[in-house]
């Protein structure tokens, strides 16, 4: 393997590890803020215990997110130094704003919330956790605007003197639809991830009849938000799939194992390719479905991998522009399948609550902790 391949592997592993913690903390902090608010308004000790318990787990994962994020920042400059130099005036500025404004806001007020109980007033203590939650939200916005710009670069020119990208329209950058779509998807993932996390841990305690006054309300909150978050995750993911046809047609073709252009395009239930990964051997497909999912009509043309490869060779020069399709094809299906499992798990949890904690249903909660790995892929 050459240096580029090794750099891709290293950066991919770092990014995957970092994002295990990001959506969990992005969603979990809002639960903590709500529990803290309920304690402030009612004075009931159970809400304080709920905020403290989930707050400790938040802090552990928040710390891991910081550590893995710092490594990722270093790799931008070390693995991809030329790219960082080329887009630094835009991409680097967004990351700097995220650090100087959102991250410091979050970190400072998290510190007040951790150490301030009994030292500051209850109102200030409550204010601190809400400011930390707002800081985490702002942090994700700046990061995903940077990611959105990489997918859909807008508002820039190539400086004729430096040869680097230079921002000329900050409004276009801040209103980039790709960035806001990524934010919607990431925030939905945060809610769904935190909900599954809470449902799994709460189920473990409920089955053992331990601290029910803390974990039954946590379970209810996780079930309600889990249904909403998982549904929004599916819907925003669907919207990203439609946007993919415009900005990343090769990605869409590869996740559907669509070697040749089709109009209308079928959806692959199962496709087996040859050992080279360059052609289809056997498949089960649903006619018209990919066209409908990508365009909301049954007569939409979806470009195939072979045609896009030829187009990119003519535009950018000879090279292999086709991703490793066995990875893109199966990772997408695993991701979509896990999203559906999350939705059904949250719906079942809500059904348990609505059926007044029926013992016949509670026994099935033993499977809920096993759902922990599900959010790692959709997120």
């Amino acid at each position: 393997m050459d240096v580029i391949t090794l750099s891709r592997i290293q950066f991919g592993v770092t990014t995957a590890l970092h994002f295990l913690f990001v959506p969990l903390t992005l969603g979990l902090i809002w639960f903590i803020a709500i529990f803290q608010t309920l304690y402030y308004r009612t004075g009931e000790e159970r809400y304080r215990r709920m905020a403290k318990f989930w707050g400790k787990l938040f802090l552990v994962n928040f710390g891991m997110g910081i550590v893995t994020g710092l490594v990722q920042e270093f790799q931008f400059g070390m693995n991809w130094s030329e790219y960082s130099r080329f887009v630094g005036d835009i991409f680097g500025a967004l990351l700097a704003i995220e650090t100087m404004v959102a991250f410091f806001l979050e970190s400072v007020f998290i510190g007040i919330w951790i150490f301030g109980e009994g030292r500051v007033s209850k109102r200030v203590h409550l204010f601190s956790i809400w400011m930390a939650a707002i800081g985490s939200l702002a942090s994700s916005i700046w990061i995903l605007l940077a990611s959105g710009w990489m997918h859909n670069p807008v508002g820039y020119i190539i400086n004729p003197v430096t040869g680097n990208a230079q921002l000329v329209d900050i409004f276009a950058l801040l209103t980039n639809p790709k960035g806001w779509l990524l934010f919607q998807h990431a925030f939905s993932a945060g809610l769904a991830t935190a909900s599954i996390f809470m449902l799994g841990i709460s189920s473990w305690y409920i089955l053992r009849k331990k601290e029910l006054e803390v974990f039954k309300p946590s379970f209810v909150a996780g079930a309600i938000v889990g249904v909403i978050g998982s549904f929004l995750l599916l819907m925003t993911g669907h919207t990203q799939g439609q946007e993919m046809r415009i900005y990343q047609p090769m990605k869409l073709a590869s996740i559907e194992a669509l070697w040749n252009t089709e109009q209308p395009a079928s959806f692959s239930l199962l496709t087996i390719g040859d050992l080279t990964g360059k052609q289809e051997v056997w498949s089960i497909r649903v006619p018209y479905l990919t066209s409908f999912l990508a365009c909301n009509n049954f007569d939409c043309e979806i470009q195939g991998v072979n045609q896009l490869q030829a187009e990119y060779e003519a535009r950018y020069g000879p090279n292999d522009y086709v991703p490793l399709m066995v990875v893109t094809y199966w990772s997408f299906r695993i991701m979509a399948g896990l999203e559906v499992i999350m939705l059904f798990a949250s719906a079942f949890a809500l059904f348990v609550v609505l059926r007044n904690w029926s013992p016949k249903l509670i026994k099935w909660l033993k499977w809920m902790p096993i759902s922990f790995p599900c959010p790692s892929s959709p997120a």
Side-chain angles (χ1 to χ4, degrees):
M1 292 186 288
D2 56 16
V3 173
I4 292 179
T5 302
L6 291 171
S7 296
R8 287 171 175 168
I9 293 172
Q10 185 184 49
F11 188 75
V13 170
T14 302
T15 303
L17 289 174
H18 177 60
F19 209 72
L20 287 175
F21 307 103
V22 171
L24 175 58
T25 55
L26 179 62
L28 193 58
I29 195 169
W30 294 96
F31 285 100
I32 300 166
I34 291 171
F35 296 153
Q36 190 74 44
T37 303
L38 291 172
Y39 170 63
Y40 175 80
R41 293 183 64 86
T42 67
E44 294 186 28
E45 181 63 17
R46 60 173 177 159
Y47 292 126
R48 176 183 174 275
R49 290 168 60 194
M50 290 163 65
K52 284 294 183 182
F53 178 85
W54 298 111
K56 290 176 182 178
L57 295 178
F58 166 82
L59 292 171
V60 171
N61 288 278
F62 181 67
M64 290 299 297
I66 292 173
V67 172
T68 53
L70 287 174
V71 177
Q72 189 180 43
E73 292 274 6
F74 282 123
Q75 288 181 359
F76 277 125
M78 298 176 70
N79 293 30
W80 314 114
S81 55
E82 285 299 321
Y83 176 77
S84 296
R85 186 180 295 110
F86 177 69
V87 301
D89 293 345
I90 304 171
F91 184 77
L94 290 170
L95 295 185
I97 293 172
E98 184 271 335
T99 301
M100 298 299 295
V101 178
F103 176 71
F104 283 158
L105 176 71
E106 185 179 13
S107 301
V108 167
F109 282 101
I110 277 291
I112 295 174
W113 184 77
I114 297 169
F115 302 109
E117 188 175 26
R119 296 179 174 87
V120 298
S121 68
K122 288 185 177 181
R123 183 173 296 180
V124 172
H125 194 234
L126 175 64
F127 177 76
S128 66
I129 191 64
W130 277 104
M131 290 302 294
I134 292 170
S136 71
L137 190 70
S139 179
S140 65
I141 290 174
W142 289 110
I143 289 291
L144 292 168
L145 283 175
S147 179
W149 187 84
M150 289 194 291
H151 286 82
N152 178 37
V154 293
Y156 78 101
I157 62 170
I158 302 299
N159 188 301
V161 177
T162 64
N164 296 335
Q166 177 181 320
L167 181 65
V168 293
D169 187 350
I170 190 171
F171 182 77
L173 176 68
L174 298 179
T175 58
N176 188 351
K178 178 62 179 180
W180 286 102
L181 178 57
L182 289 173
F183 166 73
Q184 294 168 27
H185 192 60
F187 187 67
S188 301
L191 295 177
T193 301
S195 298
I196 292 294
F197 183 76
M198 289 180 63
L199 287 173
I201 294 175
S202 298
S203 296
W204 191 90
Y205 278 93
I206 290 170
L207 288 170
R208 286 156 181 78
K209 296 184 170 62
K210 294 182 178 180
E211 302 187 67
L212 297 182
E213 68 279 5
V214 169
F215 292 103
K216 275 195 171 183
S218 298
F219 186 93
V220 173
I224 295 172
V225 178
V227 170
I228 297 171
S230 298
F231 179 76
L232 291 175
L233 185 61
L234 285 170
M235 291 300 99
T236 53
H238 169 65
T239 304
Q240 281 192 317
Q242 294 187 323
E243 175 270 343
M244 195 187 304
R245 181 182 68 89
I246 301 172
Y247 298 111
Q248 296 172 297
M250 180 64 84
K251 182 177 178 181
L252 177 60
S254 64
I255 66 176
E256 286 304 320
L258 196 67
W259 270 270
N260 295 299
T261 301
E262 293 185 7
Q263 185 181 11
S266 57
F267 179 84
S268 170
L269 292 178
L270 177 62
T271 296
I272 304 298
D274 64 6
L275 294 178
T276 66
K278 298 297 183 181
Q279 63 181 2
E280 178 183 309
V281 175
W282 177 83
S283 67
I284 302 175
R285 309 189 76 92
V286 180
Y288 303 100
L289 186 55
T290 293
S291 289
F292 178 75
L293 292 174
C295 308
N296 291 330
N297 67 70
F298 292 102
D299 193 40
C300 179
E301 179 183 274
I302 306 297
Q303 293 177 283
V305 167
N306 293 330
Q307 287 72 32
L308 288 166
Q309 171 68 21
E311 177 185 333
Y312 293 163
E313 285 185 347
R315 185 184 303 177
Y316 305 115
N319 210 329
D320 185 3
Y321 299 98
V322 181
L324 189 58
M325 289 180 62
V326 66
V327 175
T328 55
Y329 178 85
W330 286 109
S331 59
F332 172 77
R333 274 146 185 79
I334 292 171
M335 178 192 70
L338 292 177
E339 286 184 10
V340 173
I341 292 174
M342 290 167 59
L343 179 59
F344 276 101
S346 301
F348 176 76
L350 185 59
F351 183 65
V352 171
V353 174
L354 295 175
R355 292 301 300 269
N356 200 28
W357 302 95
S358 168
K360 293 182 179 179
L361 296 175
I362 287 180
K363 68 180 182 180
W364 293 101
L365 296 183
K366 65 183 178 181
W367 299 104
M368 200 65 74
I370 302 176
S371 63
F372 274 179
C374 289
S376 63
S377 178

